[in-house]
Amino acid sequence: MSAALFYIFFELGQDQRDSSTSDNIWSSKLADYYYGCNKPSSNYSGPPYATNGFLLIQASGGLNQQRIGITDAVVVARILNATLVVPSLDHTSFWKDNSNFSDIFDIDWFIATLAQDVRIVKELPTRLKNPISLRVPRKSTPHYYQKSVLPTLVRKNAVRLTKFDYRLANNLSTDLQKLRCRVNYDALQFTGPIEGMGRTLVQRMKSMSGGRFIALHLRYEPDMLAFSGCYYGGGDREVRELASIRKRWKNLRVRSPERERRNGKCPLTPMEVGLMLRALGFSNETYLYVASGDIYGGESTLAPLRALFPHFFTKESLASDKEMEQFSRYSSRMAAIDYIVCNQSDVFVTNNNGNMARILAGHRRYAGHKRTIRPNAKKLGSFFGLRQEMGWEQFAAKLRSLQKGFMGDPMERSSRRDIFENPRVCICDKTHEVEERGEWMGDEEDELFNIDEVLLEHEPDE
């Protein structure tokens, strides 16, 4: 047993206390005041009979980046009064997944659910063989689309917008924001086989745990760590291995690992995530579902987390190879299964600020502010270095104090304006009592490293 693990068990004494005794760790006492709402205003009408043409979209990236692109594609079609052709998905990205829209999402449900918002067809009419392709700038406004895209659409009757990711401004009118919510939370339903597999895994976790479990999006893959520029205690071998991976990004600047850690740009290690959860009050009887790709360092890296939470499961350990056969060759379908389990978990813990973490955080806010925990990485990064200088009770009390404002409570203040992470315009409250009491929790923005956004910054955009 390593010195670190010996310290953990010596201090914790393999604490068997029921985690339900800890105050509000499974849910927020304020959550009952809020609920998702996305109905349009009385001024909102269905799509006009006449259309300005056909809009084709090529959604880029992995599953959750594509989800953002699909959502925004519907809104852009509404802005342009265009007929949307069901979006095509990226087959050439890092994930190398050749799945089409209908392989992941219920295409008929998608079209029917949005019938009062936009016209959607499965294919472009054969008479329009060669639609013109355009690339719009990232975060373009509705005015830009009406000024720069609409004239071409009307003239050519069909326009394809390529590499469609983050191509629509975040700040839109209330009705357009609520349309985003209708797409993301109502229209984008996974196919029956994916939905069935995800719900089966949720049921297995709940049956074994007696009713509730934590889902953790660990995001501790080699590419994530290499891009972060951080150091995780693996010695010269780690430095060499991550430096080698880092060469794939030619323009990536060299960062100071110590400074990145102090600034909250480094994801926590699996052991640090485990310590955080135990300090918050979750006992070693808690059931943990871990959504992740290949972990850097493999089982040796996961060992401390498994020791802290022996009831440790993944989709691969919950389902047989035969059950997973139809999904395992497709990264997006596997990610969709993880999405379902994480979304249906009682507590969701994210160790990064990438697309999946952001969208899930927003989805869970919309679904009644289910508990979502984000490490306060800026404070915890340096604090974990002090853990052996204090007893467990002191360490745990201090960590709980540092985590205030990062526990997914409804009234947490955040400077983020991202509709996917914080769909505030689509969340209604049953009473104004909470606001009148002024029960805001925390005032710091999560600064966890977001590899998705940085990758976009380093990718050519013609």
Side-chain angles (χ1 to χ4, degrees), residues 136-142 144-145 166-169 172:
V136 299
R138 291 195 173 98
K139 300 182 180 180
S140 295
T141 64
Y144 177 90
Y145 281 99
Y166 309 99
R167 304 290 164 169
L168 182 61
L172 302 176

Side-chain angles (χ1 to χ4, degrees), residues 47-214:
Y49 179 78
T51 179
N52 288 324
F54 291 87
L55 180 67
L56 297 91
I57 296 292
Q58 292 180 326
S60 299
L63 173 67
N64 293 287
Q65 187 172 323
Q66 290 170 354
R67 190 181 186 114
I68 292 172
I70 294 166
T71 298
D72 285 348
V74 173
V75 180
V76 170
R78 172 81 189 190
I79 292 169
L80 297 174
N81 184 27
T83 297
L84 178 67
V85 179
V86 169
S88 61
L89 306 184
D90 186 1
H91 295 163
T92 62
S93 69
F94 171 81
W95 291 269
K96 298 292 188 296
D97 189 325
N98 63 0
S99 297
N100 295 317
F101 186 100
S102 59
D103 296 318
I104 301 172
F105 301 106
D106 186 329
I107 191 169
D108 293 323
W109 175 267
F110 177 75
I111 294 172
T113 302
L114 297 170
Q116 298 304 310
D117 298 293
V118 295
R119 285 188 174 82
I120 305 176
V121 296
K122 294 182 180 180
E123 296 178 347
L124 184 70
T126 55
R127 61 185 172 81
L128 300 171
K129 294 182 179 179
N130 298 304
I132 188 170
S133 294
L134 301 176
R135 178 80 61 83
V136 299
R138 291 195 173 98
K139 300 182 180 180
S140 295
T141 64
H143 176 73
Y144 177 90
Y145 281 99
Q146 291 168 339
K147 179 182 177 181
S148 301
V149 178
L150 182 58
T152 305
L153 177 67
V154 172
R155 188 172 67 253
K156 297 292 186 179
N157 204 23
V159 167
R160 174 184 287 112
L161 300 182
T162 62
K163 195 167 173 51
F164 199 79
D165 48 18
Y166 309 99
R167 304 290 164 169
L168 182 61
N170 190 58
N171 187 22
L172 302 176
S173 68
T174 298
D175 271 333
L176 291 181
Q177 294 289 52
K178 289 196 172 188
L179 175 54
R180 270 173 159 160
C181 294
R182 290 196 294 280
V183 180
N184 196 18
Y185 305 133
D186 296 341
L188 283 177
Q189 300 293 323
F190 295 116
T191 63
I194 292 174
E195 193 72 27
M197 190 72 255
R199 292 188 181 279
T200 295
L201 299 189
V202 170
Q203 185 56 44
R204 288 175 185 175
M205 287 296 297
K206 286 187 174 292
S207 296
M208 291 186 300
S209 66
R212 59 189 185 185
F213 67 96
I214 295 174

Side-chain angles (χ1 to χ4, degrees), residues 393-413:
E393 292 301 328
Q394 182 185 4
F395 173 83
K398 178 64 175 176
L399 186 143
R400 289 193 293 270
S401 176
L402 294 176
Q403 272 297 117
K404 287 182 179 178
F406 290 81
M407 298 293 290
D409 289 303
M411 301 304 289
E412 286 179 0
R413 189 188 306 276

Side-chain angles (χ1 to χ4, degrees), residues 28 45 134 225 275 298 402:
S28 169
S45 60
L134 301 176
L225 304 191
L275 284 172
L402 294 176

Side-chain angles (χ1 to χ4, degrees), residues 117 208 255 337 440:
D117 298 293
M208 291 186 300
R255 300 181 175 94
I337 292 171
W440 287 97

